[in-house]
Amino acid sequence: MLTHENAAREMGHAVIAGVDEAGRGPLAGPVAAAAVIFPDGVKMDGLTDSKKLTREKREKFFDLIFEKAVAVGFHLVGPDVIDSINILQATKLAMADAVRKLSSRPDYVLIDGNQTIPWDGPQKTIVKGDSLSLSIAAASVIAKVTRDKVMGEYAAMYPEYGFEKHKGYGVAEHLDAIKKYGPSPIHRRTFRGVKEFCDIGGEPAGALPQLELPGQ
């Protein structure tokens, strides 16, 4: 899990950030991204792709990452921007802004997937990087846990959609709620399963909830 970080250090890079996102696929809510810088020699046994961890393990690692990381950055891009520039561009924007929010500027960035981001420093994309890089795995946990917290807040605001269960993904229960109530203000109105019912929905989203993260 440190192969890519060690290779970057051998090239002379000292401050290495891993970057990942959560929430590209849902029909509602923001896309989230996180960036994590670990010190050289960090150990985090069992940390891997957040999708492979239970909720309890993700939350334990969430706290541990903040304890051990040199810096953590996080950014949300809301459904209004997603609808305006498309989900791919919104995801890249979220990832770049997460890097910019780091308290230490990285001199090398490891990115999950095969898309570079609008960042002016050296970067490397890694397909399935959240299973191959400790820094990216950590970013995947921060992004997932924080986005889930945001969707929990939205669940209280719009209880008819069941966001606390599916986090905005297009499960049958969610699709049925959209058909019945129309889109909520946080639905992505350009997505299939939502756009067909926009004539009966509420107004587009306003400001995103503000979350206090450890160390921020």
Side-chain angles (χ1 to χ4, degrees), residues 12 15 20-21 33 37 42 51 60 62-63 65 71 78 105 132 171 204 208 216:
V15 185
D20 202 2
E21 52 76 27
I37 298 171
V42 69
K51 296 185 291 296
K60 287 182 180 179
F62 181 90
D63 293 333
I65 290 162
R105 178 183 169 88
L132 299 171
V171 301
L208 294 166
Q216 291 192 332

Side-chain angles (χ1 to χ4, degrees), residues 34-185:
V36 175
I37 298 171
F38 279 133
D40 190 11
V42 69
K43 292 184 178 180
M44 198 83 69
D45 293 341
L47 177 59
T48 187
D49 174 8
S50 63
K51 296 185 291 296
K52 298 178 180 179
L53 300 172
T54 64
R55 179 178 60 81
E56 291 76 15
K57 286 185 177 181
R58 285 196 299 266
E59 291 179 353
K60 287 182 180 179
F61 275 123
F62 181 90
D63 293 333
L64 191 59
I65 290 162
F66 274 99
E67 288 178 14
K68 293 194 173 186
V70 172
V72 177
F74 180 81
H75 192 72
L76 295 170
V77 171
D80 52 341
V81 178
I82 292 170
D83 287 337
S84 175
I85 64 175
N86 76 49
I87 185 60
L88 175 59
Q89 298 305 319
T91 300
K92 293 168 73 171
L93 176 63
M95 295 170 92
D97 282 345
V99 174
R100 293 186 184 97
K101 287 185 174 180
L102 289 164
S103 58
S104 299
R105 178 183 169 88
D107 54 28
Y108 199 74
V109 176
L110 302 173
I111 304 163
D112 183 58
N114 60 4
Q115 296 281 332
T116 59
I117 62 174
W119 169 252
D120 59 4
Q123 55 186 285
K124 178 182 180 180
T125 60
I126 306 172
V127 175
K128 297 184 179 179
D130 45 12
S131 296
L132 299 171
S133 159
L134 197 70
S135 301
I136 295 176
S140 78
V141 168
I142 299 299
K144 170 66 174 168
V145 171
T146 309
R147 186 181 185 278
D148 284 355
K149 292 179 184 295
V150 169
M151 295 310 293
E153 294 191 19
Y154 279 138
M157 297 168 65
Y158 310 108
E160 63 271 28
Y161 296 96
F163 292 135
E164 73 282 0
K165 301 175 186 176
H166 50 69
K167 314 305 181 191
Y169 282 88
V171 301
E173 176 187 358
H174 186 193
L175 294 171
D176 288 343
I178 296 170
K179 292 176 184 177
K180 182 176 181 180
Y181 301 108
S184 75

